[in-house]
Amino acid sequence: AQKVTQAQTEISVVEKEDVTLDCVYETRDTTYYLFWYKQPPSGELVFLIRRNSFDEQNEISGRYSWNFQKSTSSFNFTITASQVVDSAVYFCALSEAENTDKLIFGTGTRLQVFP
Amino acid sequence: EAQVTQNPRYLITVTGKKLTVTCSQNMNHEYMSWYRQDPGLGLRQIYYSMNVEVTDKGDVPEGYKVSRKEKRNFPLILESPSPNQTSLYFCASSLLTGPGGTDTQYFGPGTRLTVL
């Protein structure tokens, strides 16, 4: 069965610290997609990244980077030099090609960045 | 501007009073979906639609109805709301790229519903 686990419920850091949000997934499909979404205090869901199962290259976008490892079924998200504006709930999600585009979400990690 | 809109953004109602939450997208997306977000549970899919007049149940469809008469609109209907439907609701849309392909789902701003 498909499942996404975000074991870290809440993380607190001080500004400029690096922080890694963990995401572990389960799927039987060979073709699947992994996503990260950000939910700031205002409540909307902001798309951050989409990665397909055949592309294990790590990705960097500014202060954000993602580490995809199929061997450990993980898709971790690192924020370098965190800022107060990074404070949000972050969701990891899985979509299976055989499963009608449904997004299976983890329970989210609340990140608080203090000045 | 490409977007998914939802109305209303906030709603307080009473048990049993029918309500509709509207969702509209201007990106010509075939796929639309409703999710609910509850503390500790993340987001769960309620219903989805692959195209006009094609809808199907997600993981938590009980107590909800949907319709897809036009490509851009996908309203969520609660015919007899109950307190356990108090939640934050999101509509999402994406292109349908066919078997083996899933495009990114873009979300509306959310509707916070309270059922007393």
Side-chain angles (χ1 to χ4, degrees), chain B residues 1-50:
Chain B
E1 180 191 353
Q3 60 182 350
V4 180
T5 57
Q6 294 179 227
N7 281 293
R9 295 288 312 279
Y10 302 90
L11 179 61
I12 301 175
T13 190
V14 295
T15 299
K17 186 176 181 182
K18 182 178 178 180
L19 67 93
T20 299
V21 184
T22 64
C23 172
S24 184
Q25 50 92 7
N26 63 1
M27 297 171 278
N28 204 34
H29 286 167
E30 297 92 354
Y31 184 90
M32 296 185 75
S33 180
W34 278 101
Y35 294 84
R36 61 177 287 175
Q37 181 182 356
D38 300 292
L41 297 176
L43 284 84
R44 294 174 293 166
Q45 190 183 56
I46 303 170
Y47 268 95
Y48 66 94
S49 169
M50 307 282 264

Side-chain angles (χ1 to χ4, degrees), chain A residues 34-45:
Chain A
L34 295 165
F35 302 80
W36 277 94
Y37 286 87
K38 174 182 180 180
Q39 187 175 44
S42 50
E44 72 271 23
L45 282 165

Side-chain angles (χ1 to χ4, degrees), chain A residues 33 37 39 50 100-102, chain B residues 31 37 59 100 102 104-105:
Chain A
Y33 299 83
Y37 286 87
Q39 187 175 44
R50 167 178 176 253
T100 63
D101 291 66
K102 177 173 72 175
Chain B
Y31 184 90
Q37 181 182 356
D59 293 326
T102 303
T104 300
Q105 288 189 39

Side-chain angles (χ1 to χ4, degrees), chain A residues 25-34 51-56 68 70 94-99, chain B residues 100:
Chain A
Y25 62 92
E26 294 176 31
T27 179
R28 290 187 186 144
D29 273 13
T30 54
T31 304
Y32 54 89
Y33 299 83
L34 295 165
R51 173 66 79 211
N52 76 55
S53 52
F54 300 108
D55 182 2
E56 282 194 78
F68 176 28
K70 285 176 81 168
L94 164 72
S95 178
E96 297 167 325
E98 298 293 324
N99 201 6

